Amino acid sequence: MSKQNKKYDIDVKVRDFCGKSKLFFILSLILVIISIASTFTGVDIALEFKGGTIITYSYEGDVDTAKIESTLSDLVGSSVSVQDGESIGEAGKTLSLSFSSKDGLTVERQSEVTEAVRGLYPDANIEVLDSNDVDARSGSEFFTKCIVAAAFAAIILILYIALRFKQISGWSAGVCAIVGLVQTLVVTYGSVVLIGFEINSNFMAVILTLLGYAVNDTIVIYDRIRENQSIYTDMEISELVNTSSSQSLRRSIRTSVTTFVSMLAVTVVALVMGLDSIISFSVPMMVGIVIGTYNSLCFVPSLWVWWQKKRGITTLKPAKKKQALS
């Protein structure tokens, strides 16, 4: 913690965020490197993005999904994902098989798969409910649209911050905010890969959600810096940012903890109910919330101060007050 400047009447204990900037930069770099390196451990891309075939069966009794996966992988020569569940209708228990393939499985190959499953469990009364080929092009188009939306949102955010906070060198503030946001998204991606979740539509939903959520605290701190710029007119820029971040600390943590606990509750309920599709959204969101809060409070302000000092700026000039019309 930095010593409170006795020259000013500051109502919070000022923490020395900028004094730990090197630590924040190193930590951020390590997290990004680990997240990028996670790609080489193998990325599980969902069927909707790479194409294939989904066959759904109804069955009775119990089946071993791992045994089915092993048998069918040897049969078709590629990885197979098997999920069991229950249908609300008359079908009862269901078995969903997902096969990755650019052209999908032929009718003959699907028949072989069905016979192989029935051969494993001849008394399970296995019947085909549905069979669908998934075109990889539709998933690729969706992925491309999400990337375009993310890039467009980043440009809009830079423009918005540049215009709104032009008194504190808005362009640099906007770029620093986007750097922090990109870091949040990259680390969230790394967590998804390392945990073993698929890169699917849930992951894209997490990315698009964090685009708006993760930068919110940064904008709040920028707003506080702009306000303090007029109050503490000759305060050194590092101390000004430390003061502004300290004043925003409680609010940021409360907001993040509330959202994190909400996602945690959703995760617990999903685990109890066996809703894997929800878990693949809530868990990455919790990671994104934690990293986004760290970036907003620690990394982005420190990066912005470093940038200003590189430009030779040590204090911020107070904003010019508009003269009232006579």
Side-chain angles (χ1 to χ4, degrees):
M1 299 181 185
S2 64
K3 295 180 179 179
Q4 185 169 314
N5 194 329
K6 296 181 180 180
K7 183 178 178 180
Y8 303 103
D9 183 18
I10 302 174
D11 57 355
V12 297
K13 183 175 291 186
V14 178
R15 300 173 184 273
D16 190 13
F17 291 100
C18 295
K20 299 179 178 65
S21 59
K22 289 185 179 179
L23 174 63
F24 296 147
F25 294 162
I26 293 172
L27 176 60
S28 297
L29 181 61
I30 291 173
L31 289 174
V32 170
I33 290 175
I34 292 175
S35 299
I36 295 175
S38 68
T39 303
F40 300 100
T41 65
V43 182
D44 190 6
I45 301 176
L47 195 70
E48 59 198 281
F49 290 147
K50 57 185 179 181
T53 302
I54 301 176
I55 307 176
T56 305
Y57 300 97
S58 63
Y59 72 96
E60 299 174 357
D62 297 317
V63 297
D64 185 349
T65 57
K67 183 178 180 181
I68 295 175
E69 285 182 358
S70 176
T71 301
L72 295 183
S73 294
D74 294 337
L75 176 65
V76 301
S78 63
S79 62
V80 181
S81 175
V82 181
Q83 291 184 328
D84 57 351
E86 293 188 10
S87 174
I88 298 177
E90 298 179 355
K93 295 182 178 180
T94 60
L95 197 65
S96 180
L97 312 182
S98 301
F99 301 86
S100 299
S101 173
K102 291 183 179 180
D103 302 320
L105 296 181
T106 63
V107 175
E108 292 78 11
R109 180 65 79 177
Q110 291 183 34
S111 298
E112 292 177 6
V113 168
T114 301
E115 291 304 317
V117 176
R118 286 174 175 167
L120 289 174
Y121 300 98
D123 300 325
N125 194 23
I126 295 173
E127 298 293 339
V128 179
L129 291 179
D130 192 20
S131 177
N132 291 303
D133 286 332
V134 179
D135 189 353
R137 287 177 297 180
S138 59
S140 299
E141 290 175 0
F142 171 70
F143 182 80
T144 301
K145 289 178 180 178
C146 289
I147 296 299
V148 171
F152 182 73
I155 294 173
I156 294 299
L157 281 171
I158 291 177
L159 292 174
Y160 168 74
I161 294 174
L163 293 175
R164 181 175 175 181
F165 301 103
K166 58 184 178 180
Q167 296 94 334
I168 61 169
S169 183
W171 286 106
S172 60
V175 172
C176 289
I178 295 305
V179 171
L181 179 59
V182 170
Q183 183 194 156
T184 299
L185 301 183
V186 170
V187 174
T188 301
Y189 158 79
S191 70
V192 168
V193 175
L194 292 174
I195 292 172
F197 290 140
E198 284 185 331
I199 301 297
N200 55 15
S201 56
N202 274 359
F203 170 74
M204 299 310 299
V206 170
I207 294 300
L208 295 177
T209 302
L210 289 175
L211 275 173
Y213 180 86
V215 78
N216 181 61
D217 286 338
T218 301
I219 292 177
V220 170
I221 292 174
Y222 281 158
D223 198 45
R224 180 66 71 173
I225 293 173
R226 185 178 59 178
E227 291 177 1
N228 288 337
Q229 176 187 5
S230 300
I231 299 173
Y232 312 119
T233 55
D234 59 346
M235 182 180 283
E236 199 269 335
I237 191 170
S238 296
E239 191 65 24
L240 180 66
V241 170
N242 286 337
T243 300
S244 302
S245 297
S246 298
Q247 290 172 335
S248 306
L249 180 62
R250 183 175 297 179
R251 175 201 175 279
S252 297
I253 290 179
R254 282 179 177 176
T255 302
S256 298
V257 168
T258 300
T259 311
F260 184 90
V261 170
S262 299
M263 288 293 101
L264 180 61
V266 169
T267 302
V268 172
V269 173
L271 285 171
V272 173
M273 301 297 293
L275 304 174
D276 295 338
S277 59
I278 295 179
I279 296 174
S280 63
F281 174 84
S282 59
V283 172
M285 270 300 298
M286 287 193 290
V287 175
I289 290 167
V290 172
I291 298 300
T293 303
Y294 155 76
N295 280 325
S296 295
L297 289 171
C298 303
F299 176 75
V300 174
S302 298
L303 180 63
W304 180 77
V305 168
W306 174 84
W307 189 336
Q308 301 313 304
K309 288 186 175 181
K310 284 293 183 180
R311 297 170 58 196
I313 300 174
T314 56
T315 58
L316 294 178
K317 295 180 180 180
K320 296 180 180 179
K321 296 182 180 179
K322 296 181 179 179
Q323 295 181 352
L325 296 175
S326 56

